[in-house]
Amino acid sequence: LRRQRQMGIRDSINSEYMGIIKMAAQETRIGGDMEFYLNSTKDIQAGHLLIPSDVIRPSELDGFSLEEEENFRLFGCELIQEGGIMLKLPQITMVTAMELFHRFYFRQSFLRTDLKAIVAAALFLATKLEETPKKIRDVISVFDYLIKIKEGVESPIPVLDLSSDIFSILRQELIEAERLILK
């Protein structure tokens, strides 16, 4: 009975998704990427991000355009993917982290939260959910390294001292970000 209910839910989600795709009015190729322009007041798609048009995003209220928000989302997903690879996590854990990240930013604005802390917390939380746990110090060290690379710190990149005040601050930020995601 439980399996039948799960299949019924999955089928309704798949049919809803196919209904959205069938509503596509036209397809164009811009810069090698496919973009669908939907004829519906229900859904819009910018690039790869499908967003219900009747939902006002918190970042939109803070003046972010859809394109800017998509760029932040892509940056966050890149960090999650790179961090997951460095931590030798399975792809399902990284995808779970990306979903947590996206869901969080449908409720919160990019301006009001620290993107770097949320990305690290989403991956840390995903490791727990997918039963591929990593130590918090490993997650912090990897994301500290990745952020330093993205910020253009010259080689050799200094390793984070686990007994430093900076590590303690980053640890506290990650824990607070994890609580925010769980709210």
Side-chain angles (χ1 to χ4, degrees):
L1 183 63
R2 181 175 169 208
R3 180 81 173 142
Q4 287 174 341
R5 270 190 269 150
Q6 288 174 339
M7 292 304 290
I9 291 170
R10 183 178 295 135
D11 290 342
S12 70
I13 290 171
N14 286 341
S15 66
E16 190 176 79
Y17 176 75
M18 290 309 292
I20 291 170
I21 297 302
K22 286 177 185 174
M23 289 185 314
Q26 62 180 337
E27 235 177 294
T28 59
R29 188 172 285 282
I30 300 174
D33 291 332
M34 279 306 231
E35 293 190 11
F36 290 100
Y37 297 94
L38 302 182
N39 247 358
S40 169
T41 57
K42 223 174 153 188
D43 299 291
I44 60 172
Q45 182 173 359
H48 303 93
L49 185 63
L50 188 63
I51 301 171
S53 62
D54 57 347
V55 174
I56 298 174
R57 303 172 326 276
S59 296
E60 183 180 13
L61 293 174
D62 287 336
F64 271 73
S65 70
L66 193 57
E67 185 179 331
E68 290 171 326
E69 184 173 343
E70 184 174 339
N71 288 336
F72 275 98
R73 288 178 184 277
L74 289 173
F75 178 71
C77 288
E78 284 176 14
L79 282 177
I80 289 170
Q81 186 71 31
E82 291 170 7
I85 290 169
M86 290 179 74
L87 289 165
K88 296 182 177 147
L89 293 170
Q91 187 65 37
I92 189 71
T93 303
M94 292 180 262
V95 170
T96 301
M98 290 177 197
E99 180 159 347
L100 291 169
F101 171 76
H102 284 303
R103 285 178 182 228
F104 176 77
Y105 279 114
F106 275 119
R107 295 186 332 259
Q108 297 290 326
S109 172
F110 283 99
L111 283 179
R112 300 181 193 277
T113 55
D114 181 14
L115 177 75
K116 296 175 253 184
I118 297 298
V119 166
L123 188 60
F124 184 59
L125 187 57
T127 63
K128 294 176 182 179
L129 291 171
E130 294 299 331
E131 297 179 2
T132 53
K134 293 293 177 184
K135 294 180 179 174
I136 193 168
R137 66 180 165 94
D138 296 338
V139 174
I140 291 169
S141 296
V142 163
F143 277 98
D144 180 65
Y145 178 80
L146 287 173
I147 297 301
K148 286 177 182 173
I149 289 174
K150 299 285 184 189
E151 289 175 347
V153 174
E154 293 182 21
S155 292
I157 296 175
V159 178
L160 181 65
D161 181 15
L162 300 179
S163 62
S164 69
D165 289 338
I166 294 172
F167 176 79
S168 298
I169 291 168
L170 291 174
R171 184 176 188 277
Q172 190 61 36
E173 286 177 358
L174 190 143
I175 292 168
E176 288 172 11
E178 185 181 23
R179 285 185 191 140
L180 272 176
I181 291 171
L182 291 171
K183 265 189 179 177

